[in-house]
Amino acid sequence: MIAIISAMNIENEAILALCHDVKEKMIANKKFYEAVLGDEKVICCLSGCGKVNATISTTLLLEHFPIDAILNIGTAGGLKEDENVLDCVISTSVVEHDFDTSALDGEAGKGAFFEADPLLVNTAKTVAEEMKIAYHVGLIASGDQFISQDEQISKILNDFPESLCSEMEAGGIAHCAAHYGVPFVVIRSLSDIAVKEGNEMDFEEYAKKASERSAQFCEKCVARYSKK
């Protein structure tokens, strides 16, 4: 069974709108939805903001449901000039950019890294190509910070120059998935590009477009992955 973890409520609702046989279950004040997406059983949940909320949700998922893989969707800010709003970023790995024990461990103490599952990554790439979505594949930087200041952007790109985007939940989900030995992939839609001017879109317009597309993306990913 695949778990689909959404960062925003509008994304979770868009997925549930494509599902049938939806059953809500409350565990430790978190809502989980057992459902059928296409022909496959899934569990959908809303992570809440930040790595701690995301870790709590993922832990509850893995402790209470027979999860075979995790698909995490959401929004991020782009960090490369060749990116555009509504482009998709597919993780090969995730780094917690605000994890820092360098005072004790030197440069090796900067960042906690987690590798995404290659089969899930390739599945997501195939779906992006089928849907004709512009996509980028690589490192996603995750931390409990909304990245908007030049010094924040510079620090991420200085410490982790391969970072394609920054967001706030993937680190917790990836860390938890790695601990439990469950394959995962993180997929982020870009709402803005921090290193470019004139790339903004009204967020409500962006969120509606991105959420509807993410729901369709998830349906195709689940169908493809389940046949592997």
Side-chain angles (χ1 to χ4, degrees), residues 76-81 83-87 190-203 206:
L79 296 172
K80 301 296 183 184
E81 290 189 358
E83 297 170 338
N84 293 292
V85 172
L86 284 173
D87 281 4
L190 299 181
S191 60
D192 64 281
I193 316 301
V195 295
K196 288 171 66 174
E197 295 291 335
N199 62 89
E200 299 84 1
M201 178 184 290
D202 176 77
F203 191 77
Y206 158 80

Side-chain angles (χ1 to χ4, degrees), residues 2-6 12 15 37 42-45 71 73 218 222:
I2 295 179
I4 303 174
I5 304 176
S6 304
N12 188 52
I15 294 168
L37 181 60
V42 296
I43 302 289
C44 300
C45 93
L71 181 61
I73 63 169
C218 287
V222 167

Side-chain angles (χ1 to χ4, degrees), residues 97-142:
H97 67 77
D98 56 355
F99 182 92
D100 190 350
T101 62
S102 59
L104 297 174
D105 303 319
E107 287 299 307
K110 288 186 177 180
F113 288 83
F114 306 95
E115 298 298 316
D117 177 68
L119 179 55
L120 283 168
V121 172
N122 287 333
T123 300
K125 288 166 61 177
T126 299
V127 170
E129 289 166 4
E130 285 181 355
M131 294 181 67
K132 295 181 170 52
I133 299 170
Y135 70 94
H136 311 265
V137 183
L139 179 65
I140 291 179
S142 186

Side-chain angles (χ1 to χ4, degrees), residues 139-193:
L139 179 65
I140 291 179
S142 186
D144 286 317
Q145 303 168 359
F146 185 83
I147 304 300
S148 60
Q149 303 300 316
D150 289 344
E151 57 268 26
Q152 293 174 300
I153 298 165
S154 295
K155 178 168 174 48
I156 292 174
L157 292 177
N158 181 67
D159 291 344
F160 313 105
E162 295 181 357
S163 299
L164 297 178
C165 64
S166 64
E167 55 79 74
M168 297 180 65
E169 291 79 37
I173 293 166
H175 199 148
C176 190
H179 176 79
Y180 281 85
V182 175
F184 76 90
V185 68
V186 177
I187 299 163
R188 289 290 180 267
S189 178
L190 299 181
S191 60
D192 64 281
I193 316 301

Side-chain angles (χ1 to χ4, degrees), residues 11-122:
E11 293 162 339
N12 188 52
E13 289 179 346
I15 294 168
L16 292 176
L18 297 182
C19 293
H20 57 95
D21 295 338
V22 178
K23 298 176 183 176
E24 181 182 311
K25 186 172 185 178
M26 181 77 79
I27 304 172
N29 296 317
K30 291 279 189 179
K31 290 181 181 179
F32 300 89
Y33 300 88
E34 297 181 77
V36 178
L37 181 60
D39 296 323
E40 304 297 333
K41 291 182 179 179
V42 296
I43 302 289
C44 300
C45 93
L46 184 67
S47 66
C49 184
K51 291 195 274 95
V52 173
N53 275 322
T55 302
I56 291 170
S57 296
T58 308
T59 300
L60 291 171
L61 267 171
L62 297 178
E63 288 286 344
H64 290 86
F65 301 98
I67 303 302
D68 300 309
I70 294 172
L71 181 61
N72 173 221
I73 63 169
T75 288
L79 296 172
K80 301 296 183 184
E81 290 189 358
D82 64 342
E83 297 170 338
N84 293 292
V85 172
L86 284 173
D87 281 4
C88 172
V89 175
I90 300 167
S91 69
T92 52
S93 56
V94 173
V95 61
E96 293 182 43
H97 67 77
D98 56 355
F99 182 92
D100 190 350
T101 62
S102 59
L104 297 174
D105 303 319
E107 287 299 307
K110 288 186 177 180
F113 288 83
F114 306 95
E115 298 298 316
D117 177 68
L119 179 55
L120 283 168
V121 172
N122 287 333

